[in-house]
Amino acid sequence: MNPRNPLVWLAAAALVALPFVYKQPYHLHVLVLILIWSFAYTSWSMMGRFGLVSLGHGGFMGVGAYVTALLWNHGGISPWIGIPLAMVSAGVLALIVAWPCFRFRITGHYFALVTLALSGIVLQVITATRDHTGGSLGYTPERTKGSAIAALQFADKETWYLIALGVWACGIAVWYWVDRSMARYAMEAISEDEDAASAAGINVTMEKIKITVLSAVMTALAGALYCQYQMFIAPDTVSGISVSLQMVFAVVVGGIYVSMGPTVGAIVTIMLAEGLRIGLGTKAVGWDNLIYGVLLVLFILFLPKGILGSLMERRAKTAK
Amino acid sequence: MMEIFDIYLAEAIISGILLGGVLALLALGLNLIFGVIDVTWICYAELIMIGMYGLYYLYAVYGVPMWLAVPACIVIVAILGLLLHWIVIEPLLDAAPINQLLATGGVLFFLQSFATVVFGIDFRNLGIRLPILAIGEMHFSYARLLAFGAALAGMVLVYLFMTRTYVGTAIRAIAQDRQIMALMGVDTRRLYLVTSALGGSLAGLAACLLVLQYDVHPFVGLSFGPITFLICVLGGLGNFIGGFVAAFLFAQIISLGGLYSDLEWGYVLAFAFFILMMFVRPQGLLARRS
């Protein structure tokens, strides 16, 4: 994706123009979901592409959603302030977990399992504080009586589509920003060999913490947006281990090393789930995850670079 | 007032010990797989869930007598473990560890939804209520005592297998050095399969014990899966004794934490303890610091 390529600008213009021409609410709803989850998956892949496989992102997403909603309901604090606060909380949480992990060289399996504990904690805390969070029954931000803009609550899908599109585009921009930065070279060196990277003068712990906190903060934003859009959150849909695994799964399917990979993953998984839901009706319960599971195993066995990653690789080969 | 409190405390401590036995059994299977094959089965708890359904169907639906249903259930899960290794793990043995982890994550999704589709989302139980044992003011269910005893017996059997038999010795040797053992003429592939089946049969035993106490539903694995991983990491992945100690420690925290407040807070405390311990002993409880 070269910004000088006119096709990119054309595609961007088409995406922005879409809700003004096409207003079918269900299709727009699916698009908003795809955009929000694409942003979350992109946030995950920011660290996932460097071999930092976190299973704790369900936790960060849960913090983003619940902190925003709780501040609004209990403190009357507008999401315009609540969302940044939620992002800061997720960043602090990431710091608390990431610092000892990286300081003591907890990598690979261990890192995945420690972060797994984190999403477990967030899920249990939400469930345990059911007097305030509604527990496993879920939680609804109160409908605003005043201005919709101050409360960040919009009834129409078009506005939400544009918001989600903007945030998603920012996510892709951040991906490129990291891709072009020194941090990327440092992180690639670290993922190859930590000792060698450290000997070359890279502050291994610091670089890893930076990328982890960035990824966590973005994931919290995705959680907060999801909460504001759906106006209903439950521990199982925004936090916990299944959400974490779902992120990993979508990114692996789309392609972990390319900028649009997570987006392709979101399109494939959400279309699959929605298609099955419409096709099978109530019988669909379970079938989507059944297919996810089989696909995830097949992808890792046969196509570890993901759909988009493999396609781009093939194109690069034929171009030579 | 003080006396009642003491009895509650004693009951919580003993409950914790009983819970610890089952958790230790869960951790043993996972540790065995990790220690020998160097792979984490994220879907371990889901194998147990399938085993719980297996016993439920054999016993409560088809009326197979218990003495036959329990071994059958253990064999079924052992075969599942074998298949898991054969189909998913073996092609990935040389892949990045993260890919192995994610592939078993895919199996987790698969087994969970398989159970949802085939068995439905209703909570089911065996429909047998074992009597309650009362010592003074304290009450313990026989189901928990039985589970504790069987878990200990299972662990002793595995210990004997690992130390007294030729195959067990070979498995322990392979855990120490993967490359050399192949050079010594040991068929590593066969040993991996034996280990996977053994890990599966431990999951099967755990399934039989858990279904005596808890209802089974497709997502039951999520309620004890994470805690099992934490126990293994806390004890040091692949470290059997560490896992054993960590299981009892965790069980006490959950049980005592639950005494003062809800059971979820017991879990929260246990999770928080885990993260705290990662600061102090990142290589596991019993690891020597290098």
Side-chain angles (χ1 to χ4, degrees):
Chain A
M1 275 224 317
N2 187 337
R4 284 185 198 87
N5 189 338
L7 274 178
V8 172
W9 291 105
L10 209 64
L15 280 174
V16 174
L18 181 88
F20 298 103
V21 209
Y22 189 78
K23 290 184 190 290
Q24 215 282 345
Y26 171 67
H27 291 165
L28 280 181
H29 167 71
V30 173
L31 281 175
V32 173
L33 283 187
I34 288 178
L35 285 168
I36 293 178
W37 283 111
S38 295
F39 177 67
Y41 299 158
T42 307
S43 321
W44 183 89
S45 79
M46 304 276 284
M47 58 192 290
R49 64 189 285 227
F50 300 119
L52 292 172
V53 171
S54 154
L55 295 179
H57 273 53
F60 299 133
M61 192 146 184
V63 167
Y66 271 92
V67 168
T68 311
L70 286 170
L71 284 176
W72 169 249
N73 279 10
H74 290 286
I77 297 167
S78 156
W80 289 101
I81 304 162
I83 292 178
L85 283 177
M87 288 162 73
V88 169
S89 330
V92 171
L93 187 65
L95 204 63
I96 292 174
V97 180
W99 187 78
C101 275
F102 298 150
R103 175 80 183 66
F104 295 116
R105 292 281 185 92
I106 293 172
T107 53
H109 286 76
Y110 271 84
F111 182 68
L113 292 175
V114 172
T115 49
L116 185 82
L118 175 72
S119 40
I121 296 182
V122 172
L123 183 74
Q124 294 283 357
V125 169
I126 293 171
T127 320
T129 52
R130 57 175 65 81
D131 296 344
H132 307 285
T133 61
S136 47
L137 294 175
Y139 194 59
T140 313
E142 278 160 28
R143 295 271 166 197
T144 174
K145 293 183 187 70
S147 135
I149 294 175
L152 203 64
Q153 294 175 358
F154 308 102
D156 61 315
K157 305 279 180 211
E158 289 88 348
T159 316
W160 271 114
Y161 172 83
L162 289 174
I163 293 174
L165 185 69
V167 171
W168 170 79
C170 290
I172 299 291
V174 172
W175 194 95
Y176 275 103
W177 174 63
V178 170
D179 195 54
R180 302 250 164 92
S181 68
M182 276 308 285
R184 178 212 161 171
Y185 294 103
M187 282 309 298
E188 277 184 349
I190 291 169
S191 67
E192 293 279 328
D193 187 334
E194 290 203 0
D195 292 320
S198 169
I202 297 170
N203 188 340
V204 174
T205 311
M206 204 51 213
E207 291 295 333
K208 283 166 112 179
I209 286 180
K210 275 197 303 204
I211 200 85
T212 307
V213 169
L214 178 65
S215 170
V217 165
M218 284 169 68
T219 311
L221 174 59
L225 273 186
Y226 181 85
C227 163
Q228 291 300 120
Y229 173 63
Q230 292 285 46
M231 292 300 280
F232 174 74
I233 43 177
D236 302 326
T237 50
V238 292
S239 91
I241 290 135
S242 31
V243 175
S244 306
L245 278 174
Q246 183 194 332
M247 289 191 193
V248 182
F249 167 65
V251 175
V252 169
V253 165
I256 190 167
Y257 303 108
V258 284
S259 61
M260 285 293 158
T263 307
V264 171
I267 295 172
V268 170
T269 51
I270 291 175
M271 298 290 268
L272 182 72
E274 288 293 312
L276 284 169
R277 203 166 60 80
I278 295 167
L280 294 171
T282 48
K283 279 183 296 190
V285 178
W287 277 102
D288 50 349
N289 278 331
L290 191 79
I291 296 174
Y292 279 8
V294 174
L295 280 180
L296 180 54
V297 175
L298 290 178
F299 266 95
I300 288 175
L301 285 180
F302 302 110
L303 211 61
K305 289 204 168 83
I307 295 176
L308 193 66
S310 306
L311 280 179
M312 286 175 72
E313 199 180 56
R314 181 166 298 174
R315 225 183 65 185
K317 264 184 201 154
T318 46
K320 275 177 200 164
Chain B
M1 188 62 214
M2 203 55 215
E3 285 157 41
I4 297 169
F5 178 77
D6 279 342
I7 281 176
Y8 279 149
L9 187 66
E11 191 173 333
I13 289 172
I14 297 173
S15 293
I17 293 172
L18 294 181
L19 177 67
V22 179
L23 288 181
L25 180 71
L26 292 176
L28 178 64
L30 204 61
N31 260 332
L32 186 71
I33 303 294
F34 183 84
V36 178
I37 314 180
D38 199 15
V39 165
T40 312
W41 284 3
I42 287 279
C43 57
Y44 187 71
E46 275 60 35
L47 289 180
I48 296 174
M49 180 266 294
I50 297 287
M52 289 168 82
Y53 270 111
L55 192 70
Y56 166 76
Y57 272 94
L58 284 174
Y59 178 79
V61 177
Y62 296 116
V64 178
M66 203 46 122
W67 58 268
L68 196 66
V70 168
C73 173
I74 292 175
V75 169
I76 290 171
V77 185
I79 292 172
L80 275 181
L82 206 67
L83 287 177
L84 175 68
H85 183 80
W86 190 47
I87 298 174
V88 178
I89 304 292
E90 209 172 78
L92 289 173
L93 274 180
D94 295 323
I98 288 313
N99 285 4
Q100 300 164 346
L101 200 76
L102 295 181
T104 56
V107 177
L108 179 152
F109 267 125
F110 172 77
L111 290 178
Q112 239 175 38
S113 357
F114 175 80
T116 313
V117 170
V118 177
F119 306 130
I121 49 170
D122 302 331
F123 284 50
R124 295 165 197 273
N125 59 58
L126 286 183
I128 40 176
R129 290 213 152 271
L130 290 172
I132 305 260
L133 174 72
I135 308 172
E137 298 280 314
M138 298 184 287
H139 299 281
F140 306 104
S141 137
Y142 270 104
R144 306 192 69 174
L145 290 171
L146 185 70
F148 180 72
L152 282 191
M155 284 184 271
V156 169
L157 275 180
V158 170
Y159 176 79
L160 290 178
F161 173 76
M162 296 293 271
T163 49
R164 299 290 159 85
T165 64
Y166 183 76
V167 178
T169 314
I171 289 177
R172 279 187 301 134
I174 212 166
Q176 286 179 358
D177 197 322
R178 235 161 288 281
Q179 275 86 37
I180 295 293
M181 278 308 279
L183 295 179
M184 295 289 184
V186 173
D187 184 356
T188 48
R189 183 165 179 262
R190 198 171 68 90
L191 283 185
Y192 282 173
L193 286 172
V194 170
T195 310
S196 299
L198 191 61
S201 60
L202 285 172
L205 177 62
C208 296
L209 302 177
L210 285 170
V211 79
L212 284 178
Q213 301 175 49
Y214 302 103
D215 289 352
V216 56
H217 56 97
F219 302 99
V220 73
L222 292 180
S223 55
F224 54 82
I227 205 102
T228 312
F229 296 121
L230 299 191
I231 288 169
C232 290
V233 174
L234 188 64
L237 268 174
N239 183 335
F240 299 127
I241 301 168
F244 192 80
V245 174
F248 281 96
L249 209 58
F250 252 57
Q252 280 308 330
I253 294 174
I254 293 171
S255 191
L256 290 177
L259 178 69
Y260 294 109
S261 173
D262 292 330
L263 197 61
E264 280 104 359
W265 281 108
Y267 280 101
V268 172
L269 274 180
F271 282 137
F273 173 74
F274 169 79
I275 289 196
L276 190 76
M277 285 309 287
M278 291 317 285
F279 281 88
V280 188
R281 300 201 73 89
Q283 296 305 324
L285 277 181
L286 299 184
R288 283 182 212 92
R289 279 207 139 165
S290 53

